[in-house]
Amino acid sequence: MELSVFNDASKDKSGAIIEKWRVKLEDSGVHVIIGGHDSPSPRGVGYSKNQAVAQSSGSYLCFLDSDDVMMPQRVRLQHQAAVQHPSSVFTANGPTVIMPTWFCSRAWFSHVGPFDEGGQGVPEDLLFFYEHLRKGGGVIRVDQSLLLYRYHPRAATHSVLESTIWAHRVRFLEEQALPRWAAFTIWNAGKQGRRLYRSLTAASQRKVVAFCDVDENKIRKGFYCHEDSQERPKPQIPILHFRAARPPFVICVKLDLTGGAFEDNLRSLHLQEGRDFLHFS
């Protein structure tokens, strides 16, 4: 095993702490490579990750951010899976695409990457993941808790605006999924569903045949009118009960606000009727 650490101009004595651990780790057979720079300001997460990869030599890459903690069995279990599936990114139990859970071969990373080095405000992990999918990569989960992800106010993830994430996701949806459909239904006639509709290009908006929901108040309105549309007459999209709607669906729901009820209904509908869904939340 090899530990590759890149210190992106930190001012918190990280370098001294890492040097103290170097001796212990190398006495245990773990080779340690330490890189970094001391310029006045950091160059960003994407740059640091690329440098950490470049200065390392292992055949497989196990990513870990400085504020997270991985379990002792993580490398062993993810490596076992990676040997069997060379073109996949491997994650741990929990949120599947959170970047610190990733484990992949160096060859596959080189095929997909590197990370975007745009710096603060750029979702380099999401952009890498989308490129991974474009190139035919898969996602396989080792179904055990292998990492403690720390969410705190000073985390780098907060530098990325929610609107930036949304814009990238909508564009990827339009690039990868919507071209295959002549028409589709947006599941959610509320704020999230209407926001998705307004974010689509005019060509994609014309493919939306209906909204669907379970809220009787929304359904009684009968339709949604996009007031900012340049089309004349302005399009009026029907709002239906979800059992009256036609697939395919783009599901646009904040699952954490439903207390699990949405997931239970969706699972039941899928098992009973064999419908296909694309979840966008």
Side-chain angles (χ1 to χ4, degrees), residues 58-100:
S59 298
Y60 292 88
L61 303 172
C62 178
F63 291 96
L64 182 71
D65 288 350
S66 61
D67 50 357
D68 301 325
V69 179
M70 69 181 187
M71 304 300 116
Q73 71 272 27
R74 178 188 176 190
V75 173
R76 175 174 56 85
L77 294 177
Q78 289 190 311
H79 176 257
Q80 288 173 357
V83 169
Q84 301 298 319
H85 304 274
S87 62
S88 292
V89 164
F90 298 86
T91 72
N93 186 37
T96 54
V97 296
I98 287 182
M99 195 267 160

Side-chain angles (χ1 to χ4, degrees), residues 2-111:
E2 175 183 81
L3 175 64
S4 176
V5 181
F6 190 83
N7 188 358
D8 188 24
S10 66
K11 310 300 181 186
D12 58 0
K13 300 181 181 179
S14 291
I17 295 170
I18 294 166
E19 287 293 345
K20 288 182 180 179
W21 275 95
R22 183 206 289 267
V23 176
K24 295 180 181 180
L25 289 167
E26 292 190 337
D27 285 347
S28 300
V30 178
H31 181 48
V32 179
I33 307 111
I34 301 173
H37 65 96
D38 57 1
S39 59
S41 59
R43 298 177 186 173
V45 177
Y47 171 81
S48 302
K49 289 174 181 175
N50 288 336
Q51 292 300 310
V53 170
Q55 71 187 18
S56 69
S57 60
S59 298
Y60 292 88
L61 303 172
C62 178
F63 291 96
L64 182 71
D65 288 350
S66 61
D67 50 357
D68 301 325
V69 179
M70 69 181 187
M71 304 300 116
Q73 71 272 27
R74 178 188 176 190
V75 173
R76 175 174 56 85
L77 294 177
Q78 289 190 311
H79 176 257
Q80 288 173 357
V83 169
Q84 301 298 319
H85 304 274
S87 62
S88 292
V89 164
F90 298 86
T91 72
N93 186 37
T96 54
V97 296
I98 287 182
M99 195 267 160
T101 67
W102 292 0
F103 187 108
C104 66
S105 71
R106 175 182 294 273
W108 184 253
F109 176 86
S110 299
H111 178 64

